Amino acid sequence: MIKHRTIIIPASVQPNARALCKGLAGVAGDGMFTTGLSATGKAPATHYISSGPISHDMAALLPCKTVTQDKDGKAVVTTAPGMPEAVPDLAAKAKISTTKAKITALYASIDVSDQPPFEAMARLGLQIVQVPFP
């Protein structure tokens, strides 16, 4: 079973997030977070995004924001906490050393949602960094 997730991370956590995704999800997690984002769409990237299907097990580990609208049309964001306590043991099996405190801090800095990528980017005020063609 798969779930759709859009994951937006600060540039400062990109190397660690990429390593964790590859370690926990294997080949499916390799190559994530290569598309840069910024408020202006100009370099340097302040954030990175990956969006698409992930396994149900991986989705269960991550926090997830769901955006709905109230009766007045205002956005209401609810967040499922994920399972940060499970990640250190799973990471250790992939030979990645981390702690629950580090994962909790990582979860606090990232935005995971079930929104399509451009909706999540708009909610956060981010655009894809435009890279000139060679």
Side-chain angles (χ1 to χ4, degrees):
M1 181 176 202
I2 59 169
K3 303 259 183 182
H4 180 274
R5 292 293 182 265
T6 296
I7 308 170
I8 298 174
I9 63 169
S12 62
V13 303
Q14 182 201 30
N16 290 339
R18 288 186 64 158
L20 275 169
C21 286
K22 183 177 180 181
L24 296 177
V27 174
D30 198 13
M32 293 181 71
F33 309 117
T34 59
T35 302
L37 307 174
S38 73
T40 62
K42 295 182 178 161
T46 58
H47 293 78
Y48 286 87
I49 187 171
S50 282
S51 185
I54 63 174
S55 73
H56 176 74
D57 291 341
M58 188 71 167
L61 292 174
L62 296 170
C64 184
K65 292 179 179 161
T66 298
V67 181
T68 56
Q69 292 188 350
D70 68 12
K71 63 181 176 63
D72 298 321
K74 292 182 70 176
V76 177
V77 180
T78 55
T79 304
M83 300 184 327
E85 68 282 351
V87 175
D89 288 340
L90 293 170
K93 290 177 185 173
K95 301 193 183 333
I96 298 170
S97 177
T98 192
T99 64
K100 181 183 176 203
K102 287 180 182 178
I103 296 302
T104 300
L106 175 66
Y107 280 13
S109 72
I110 66 175
D111 186 272
V112 181
S113 73
D114 55 10
Q115 291 182 292
F118 288 98
E119 287 180 26
M121 289 165 38
R123 178 172 49 80
L124 297 174
L126 296 169
Q127 303 173 43
I128 294 175
V129 170
Q130 301 299 312
V131 179
F133 287 109

